Amino acid sequence: SQTIHQWPATLVQPVGSPLSLECTVEGTSNPNLYWYRQAAGRGLQLLFYSVGIGQISSEVPQNLSASRPQDRQFILSSKKLLLSDSGFYLCAWSVLGRQTYSGNTIYFGEGSWLTVV
Amino acid sequence: QQQVKQSPQSLIVQKGGIPIINCAYENTAFDYFPWYQQFPGKGPALLIAIRPDVSEKKEGRFTISFNKSAKQFSLHIMDSQPGDSATYFCAARWAGRRQLTFGSGTQLTVLP
């Protein structure tokens, strides 16, 4: 079965410090990978998605970046955090290329709470 | 631009009640409409999903009603239980794309 791991689970970082959140997927190959952000009491905002190694699409301009160094690894980074970067960050995956009904499903990790102070 | 509008923002019902959460969309190119359930501190999990060629889908106590002409869809929870208390998100996928566009979420509280 497929599993998704995301870490760290919680993070408190000062303004201006760097960020690295990591996500790995097991049990599948060539997944689509996503980073979403959920601000407190708000919906899910897509930040980045990737269809393959080194292929990153950005949905929202910001001081965050994403990288996919390996097939099942997705990293969210920032060189200098802002207070507005605080939130709940979710990594997710779906089956690549599948247009069937079940292939549309996006599976989320447990999330990472980031507080910028 | 909010492509999927969800209401209400919060909802409180008694145990056994039938909460209804509504979503509306504008983009007729959406071809897949899932609902996700999220418990506090956890990632969202797929609850039930529907395609626009179906008007209703039921899985256990959860039912999606879909009105293509009105561009609306809703989630009904029959015989709601306190364990159903969670945040519910509707979503939609643009045909040919991979990512989902989410509604703003509804925080449901089912009182014992």
Side-chain angles (χ1 to χ4, degrees):
Chain A
S1 64
Q2 300 86 5
T3 57
I4 179 169
H5 302 283
Q6 184 178 342
W7 69 94
T10 59
L11 197 59
V12 180
Q13 290 285 94
V15 169
S17 64
L19 170 72
S20 180
L21 300 178
E22 193 164 338
C23 169
T24 59
V25 180
E26 297 177 358
T28 186
S29 297
N30 304 316
N32 297 313
L33 296 172
Y34 311 83
W35 279 109
Y36 282 86
R37 177 170 58 198
Q38 184 176 23
R42 299 183 65 181
L44 295 155
Q45 180 187 38
L46 178 64
L47 301 176
F48 302 95
Y49 74 93
S50 171
V51 301
I53 296 174
Q55 300 179 62
I56 310 294
S57 296
S58 174
E59 293 290 306
V60 181
Q62 62 222 319
N63 70 320
L64 300 171
S65 63
S67 62
R68 184 170 178 174
Q70 300 181 40
D71 180 46
R72 291 171 291 171
Q73 183 184 26
F74 207 23
I75 299 171
L76 182 69
S77 304
S78 175
K79 292 182 179 179
K80 290 184 177 182
L81 284 168
L82 307 173
L83 286 173
S84 58
D85 292 324
S86 294
F88 191 43
Y89 289 83
L90 290 154
C91 182
W93 73 275
S94 67
V95 178
L96 178 68
R98 292 279 298 277
Q99 297 302 310
T100 60
Y101 188 81
S102 60
N104 291 318
T105 301
I106 289 182
Y107 302 92
F108 287 88
E110 291 292 286
S112 297
W113 284 101
L114 171 65
T115 303
V116 182
V117 296
Chain B
Q1 180 183 2
Q2 188 178 7
Q3 298 190 41
V4 180
K5 296 182 180 180
Q6 183 172 346
S7 63
Q9 186 174 10
S10 63
L11 186 57
I12 300 174
V13 300
Q14 293 286 340
K15 177 182 176 181
I18 306 176
I20 301 173
I21 304 171
N22 300 298
C23 284
Y25 63 98
E26 298 176 354
N27 190 341
T28 56
F30 288 143
D31 69 345
Y32 171 71
F33 302 88
W35 284 90
Y36 281 79
Q37 179 188 56
Q38 183 181 31
F39 293 105
K42 301 293 185 181
L46 179 67
L47 188 62
I48 186 173
I50 198 168
R51 295 189 70 153
D53 54 350
V54 176
S55 61
E56 183 176 282
K57 183 175 181 181
K58 182 179 296 185
E59 288 186 1
R61 295 185 293 106
F62 300 92
T63 299
I64 299 178
S65 297
F66 191 88
N67 186 329
K68 187 175 182 179
S69 61
K71 292 186 283 187
Q72 297 176 346
F73 58 110
S74 59
L75 176 69
H76 302 233
I77 305 176
M78 308 300 290
D79 187 27
S80 59
Q81 301 296 313
D84 296 328
S85 297
T87 300
Y88 292 82
F89 292 95
C90 63
R93 190 196 74 140
W94 201 313
R97 294 190 179 182
R98 300 167 182 85
Q99 60 270 38
L100 293 174
T101 299
F102 285 85
S104 55
T106 297
Q107 187 170 356
L108 171 66
T109 302
V110 181
L111 301 174

